Amino acid sequence: MQTVGLLLLFVLFAVPGPLPAADAPRLEVEITGIEDPLKSTIRNALSLVREQGHPLLTQYRIQALHQGTPDEIRNTLEPFGYYQAEIEPLLEQRNGTWYARYHVNPGPPVTIGSLDLEIRGPGGSNEVFQNWRQTFPLQPGDRLRHAGYERAKDDLLAIARRYGYFDARLSESRVRVELPQNRADITLHMDTGPRYRFGTVHFSETPLRESLLQRFLHFESGEPFHSGALLELQRALSDSDYFERVDVIPLIEEAEEQRVPIEVRLEIQKRTRYAFGIGYGTDTGPRTTIGIDRRWQNSRGHKAGTRIVASEIRTELNFNYRVPLTPPTTDYLDFTADYTEETTDTSSRETALIGGALTQMRRGWQETLSLNYQEETFDVGIGDERANMLVPGIGWQRVVVDDRLVPQHGWRLAAGLKGASESVLSSTDLAQATFRGSYITTILGGRLITRLEAGASETSNFDRLPVSLRFFAGGDSSVRGYGYQTLGPENSAGDVIGGKHLLIGSVEYDYFWSENWGAAVFIDQGNAFNSTGDFDLSQGAGLGVRYKLPFGLIRVDVASAVSESGNPWRLHINIGPEL
């Protein structure tokens, strides 16, 4: 036993530990004779390059990889149409460094000779497949690119599935390369099989009626299948604010007689939402908003909301009740009750309003028909006046932008007509038209923002026209450099009393030097007036700073009232989206 112990002790001390690894040989790889991007593609494909600097790389491994490198280069070039590449390899060692050089002559490219693209079956005449053929990425005379061919195959199968040809298959798919002629002939045939149709739509259980959910559908059972209609359904349900999660799933495996049942899985939102917000604008000063919304008041999907907005110059209490129509996301009836107290430098008013509005989407334009009744007590420098107005109106609005918060390109147009008659619950006759337009585009790396606002009124007794229906100019969103609603016709005492007409124009250029920070320069011009005889536009100009927030821009502007004596300066701060 003692002898065994001595032997073990001898082995423990006699067997050497692991030897330190020798430094891996240095290696440099150079490719000549070809330019980027092919040069970079080849380099990234080489085993020698990938193993550069590996701690286990040896000179024997370098020599072995070097022998296989020409084949790697040829294999890399073939998908780009080069089938006859010539490679001159060289491997040498100098001063402890291995130098691997490869001069590449790609040779003449293989070009497309003929295209045989054929769509067979019931979908052969479908326009979507004809468009695919017309936009095939490889044409006779083009250099063969395998990636373009593979992408075209994938696109063809994706189109078939998108339009309900779930049995479609490629009956023939071949690229035949003839090296003596450097020519490639492409054959691609597909059998579409029958086009499937929409089956029944099943909604998961929610507190909302099935009849309301059905009104979100833009398709009917039996119509040809199109996945775009399912995306539109998912978007409409998500935009309704009823649901926290929406999944629209075509059950293709359960299709019977080429009809695909659709399963819609819905998770309802919390019924009540509470909102609280604070903000600041130089027109209004600090402001606070408190709101309570009922996302769904009942099983018919009616909505209700209450808002209280308080600032230095205005207090507003608003109640709104909405009845969804068809489709529910764009067409609805609104019933409104609103009370507003406002005191500015030029006027004060108390307005109580009740009304209703029908909003519908027509060819991309939002159209609103409204009927409001308001009673207003107001003072514009001549003492308190009281007026009541029954005002029917119609308005149109459309917004097209690439980003609603900070757009780089886009426009917004809004126009409206309203009126009142002294013989129908109104203190004076009124006919009024309004227009607002904004356009944003990118020039020299910055944004050019133009804005136009106009209004025109005819009234039988202007003194009886409520302040809320008169036109004023000046302020953060009007003519900067001037106070809120301080521009317009004046009475004999010099008090601004508002006007019948309005014209405001603005040109602004802003440039962001970082992701969030930018600067702006602008010119505003406009005024309210009663006739062309007192048409006198006031001008403001200045500089601003912009800062991007998740919900829009902080806009801080310093503007000069160019049309006033001494060109006084005024600070303007505004927060929120631009269109």
Side-chain angles (χ1 to χ4, degrees):
M1 193 70 179
Q2 186 178 7
T3 303
V4 173
L6 290 172
L7 286 172
L8 289 173
L9 188 63
F10 174 77
V11 170
L12 181 63
F13 283 97
V15 177
L19 296 174
D23 291 339
R26 290 190 297 252
L27 171 66
E28 292 187 9
V29 180
E30 183 181 2
I31 300 169
T32 61
I34 198 166
E35 301 297 329
D36 282 331
L38 278 178
K39 181 177 180 179
S40 296
T41 303
I42 292 172
R43 185 174 184 85
N44 293 335
L46 297 186
S47 301
L48 263 180
V49 173
R50 290 197 298 270
E51 296 196 18
Q52 238 177 335
H54 195 284
L56 298 181
L57 186 66
T58 66
Q59 69 176 26
Y60 305 108
R61 178 66 175 164
I62 292 173
Q63 292 167 343
L65 293 176
H66 169 71
Q67 291 179 354
T69 296
D71 287 338
E72 288 185 328
I73 294 175
R74 293 188 186 95
N75 292 336
T76 303
L77 286 173
E78 284 183 3
F80 296 92
Y82 297 101
Y83 279 75
Q84 301 187 58
E86 298 178 355
I87 294 96
E88 298 178 10
L90 175 65
L91 180 67
E92 58 183 354
Q93 184 184 32
R94 297 196 309 270
N95 300 325
T97 299
W98 288 90
Y99 295 91
R101 292 186 176 88
Y102 306 94
H103 184 78
V104 180
N105 177 10
V110 172
T111 57
I112 305 299
S114 65
L115 286 177
D116 182 8
L117 309 176
E118 189 171 340
I119 309 297
R120 301 169 177 170
S125 59
N126 194 310
E127 183 181 356
V128 296
F129 294 120
Q130 302 306 318
N131 291 338
W132 172 85
R133 294 181 63 174
Q134 295 174 5
T135 59
F136 194 80
L138 300 173
Q139 296 296 320
D142 291 349
R143 174 160 56 91
L144 172 64
R145 292 180 174 85
H146 285 258
Y149 170 73
E150 294 297 332
R151 185 170 59 252
K153 283 201 307 182
D154 293 342
D155 288 347
L156 179 58
L157 292 171
I159 290 171
R161 288 188 63 83
R162 188 179 309 136
Y163 286 91
Y165 296 95
F166 297 115
D167 297 332
R169 63 183 183 87
L170 297 177
S171 56
E172 192 169 358
S173 172
R174 183 179 69 248
V175 178
R176 182 176 179 179
V177 178
E178 299 191 17
L179 288 181
Q181 295 83 21
N182 282 319
R183 168 192 172 110
D185 296 323
I186 293 178
T187 301
L188 190 54
H189 295 171
M190 187 178 77
D191 292 323
T192 67
R195 186 175 185 180
Y196 284 55
R197 296 179 177 274
F198 288 113
T200 55
V201 180
H202 302 279
F203 293 93
S204 60
E205 186 175 351
T206 71
L208 302 175
R209 293 183 180 182
E210 175 83 10
S211 58
L212 170 65
L213 300 178
Q214 289 287 338
R215 278 153 48 195
F216 283 92
L217 297 178
H218 292 79
F219 58 89
E220 295 182 359
S221 178
E223 288 184 4
F225 183 93
H226 176 24
S227 62
L230 301 184
L231 291 174
E232 188 175 357
L233 172 60
Q234 184 171 26
R235 186 183 307 113
L237 289 167
S238 298
D239 291 346
S240 71
D241 200 34
Y242 293 132
F243 308 107
E244 185 174 357
R245 180 173 177 176
V246 178
D247 293 316
V248 180
I249 305 168
L251 303 178
I252 300 169
E253 296 78 7
E254 300 180 19
E256 296 181 1
E257 299 180 352
Q258 283 84 48
R259 288 180 178 252
V260 181
I262 309 299
E263 182 179 355
V264 183
R265 299 174 185 172
L266 303 169
E267 292 183 16
I268 198 75
Q269 289 266 31
K270 291 181 179 180
R271 189 172 192 175
T272 304
R273 173 176 54 195
Y274 301 92
F276 177 78
I278 58 175
Y280 180 85
T282 45
D283 285 351
T284 62
R287 59 180 178 268
T288 303
T289 302
I290 300 174
I292 302 175
D293 293 318
R294 298 279 280 180
R295 290 187 173 99
W296 41 281
Q297 183 70 22
N298 50 40
S299 63
R300 295 185 295 275
H302 295 187
K303 298 172 178 283
T306 301
R307 285 285 185 279
I308 300 174
V309 181
S311 68
E312 289 183 357
I313 68 168
R314 182 187 299 118
T315 299
E316 183 175 0
L317 173 63
N318 173 272
F319 174 77
N320 179 263
Y321 191 90
R322 176 167 293 183
V323 178
L325 303 176
T326 303
T329 48
T330 60
D331 294 10
Y332 43 83
L333 274 171
D334 278 332
F335 299 95
T336 301
D338 184 274
Y339 176 79
T340 303
E341 290 184 1
E342 183 179 62
T343 301
T344 70
D345 292 341
T346 57
S347 66
S348 63
R349 68 180 175 99
E350 293 182 23
T351 307
L353 178 148
I354 58 172
L358 169 63
T359 298
Q360 295 176 296
M361 190 65 68
R362 298 186 185 277
R363 298 182 180 180
W365 289 84
Q366 186 184 67
E367 180 184 89
T368 301
L369 293 168
S370 61
L371 179 64
N372 296 321
Y373 177 77
Q374 67 181 67
E375 292 187 352
E376 183 168 310
T377 301
F378 59 94
D379 181 0
V380 282
I382 56 174
D384 286 347
E385 293 283 343
R386 185 177 180 85
N388 51 276
M389 303 288 288
L390 180 66
V391 183
I394 184 171
W396 301 271
Q397 178 174 277
R398 187 171 184 179
V399 180
V400 177
V401 291
D402 54 359
D403 182 348
R404 285 300 295 263
L405 296 180
V406 187
Q408 301 299 311
H409 298 276
W411 54 269
R412 176 183 184 272
L413 290 177
L417 299 171
K418 62 179 63 173
S421 173
E422 195 170 349
S423 61
V424 185
L425 300 177
S426 299
S427 300
T428 181
D429 296 327
L430 174 67
Q432 189 175 86
T434 57
F435 172 86
R436 293 176 63 93
S438 300
Y439 178 74
I440 297 178
T441 190
T442 301
I443 295 178
L444 301 175
R447 299 187 310 160
L448 181 66
I449 305 168
T450 56
R451 175 171 53 90
L452 177 65
E453 182 176 356
S457 305
E458 286 296 332
T459 179
S460 58
N461 188 346
F462 183 77
D463 290 339
R464 299 284 288 160
L465 186 67
V467 167
S468 58
L469 294 175
R470 302 184 186 191
F471 291 116
F472 296 83
D476 300 341
S477 303
S478 182
V479 183
R480 285 164 286 189
Y482 302 85
Y484 177 60
Q485 294 190 353
T486 58
L487 294 177
E490 300 176 353
N491 61 13
S492 58
D495 300 317
V496 176
I497 60 173
K500 298 179 182 179
H501 314 302
L502 178 74
L503 183 62
I504 297 171
S506 175
V507 178
E508 178 176 319
Y509 182 81
D510 65 19
Y511 182 87
F512 282 81
W513 66 81
S514 71
E515 183 177 355
N516 293 320
W517 287 97
V521 58
F522 57 85
I523 298 176
D524 299 337
Q525 193 164 349
N527 213 330
F529 51 96
N530 285 325
S531 66
T532 55
D534 60 0
F535 181 73
D536 182 19
L537 298 183
S538 297
Q539 189 176 84
L543 304 171
V545 176
R546 304 289 181 262
Y547 183 75
K548 292 182 182 179
L549 292 171
F551 50 84
L553 284 180
I554 295 180
R555 298 182 288 275
V556 181
D557 295 324
V558 178
S560 171
V562 177
S563 301
E564 287 192 6
S565 176
N567 308 129
W569 291 85
R570 187 177 181 87
L571 178 69
H572 296 272
I573 300 175
N574 221 335
I575 302 174
E578 293 175 297
L579 292 180

